[in-house]
Amino acid sequence: ADMYDGVNASFINDKFNKTNSALFLNSGHYRIPSGVYFSGNFSISVWIKILEPKSFARVIEVNLPNKTHSVVLILSHHDSN
């Protein structure tokens, strides 16, 4: 999908130094066009380098307009103290 409306986001070199092959989000996001992205079985693959842990940082969040189906993948920070 073509991403648009990036906020606090930029493309950078990936871990293999391939130009503009990684997405850097600094408390940011991108939007993707409306569509059916998760129908039936699907996989999500990400490589994440956390620079600063934040509670419930979302990796991906997809909601249908009527809010009947959602996909949310978050990183959760838990402090037992």
Side-chain angles (χ1 to χ4, degrees):
D2 293 322
M3 301 182 303
Y4 64 97
D5 287 347
V7 174
N8 296 327
S10 59
F11 285 95
I12 60 172
N13 294 1
D14 68 11
K15 65 181 182 176
F16 302 110
N17 207 32
K18 186 174 178 184
T19 305
N20 294 326
S21 295
L23 182 60
F24 179 77
L25 299 172
N26 185 8
S27 295
H29 67 271
Y30 264 98
R31 294 183 182 271
I32 57 175
S34 296
V36 178
Y37 293 100
F38 305 108
S39 176
N41 296 331
F42 65 91
S43 297
I44 297 173
S45 177
V46 296
W47 178 79
I48 299 170
K49 180 179 179 182
I50 299 172
L51 300 177
E52 180 182 342
K54 298 195 178 191
S55 294
F56 303 104
R58 287 170 172 79
V59 174
I60 186 171
E61 180 175 1
V62 178
N63 291 304
L64 295 177
N66 60 9
K67 306 279 187 200
T68 59
H69 296 88
S70 298
V71 175
V72 180
L73 175 61
I74 64 171
L75 298 173
S76 180
H77 174 73
H78 177 72
D79 186 353
S80 61
N81 295 329

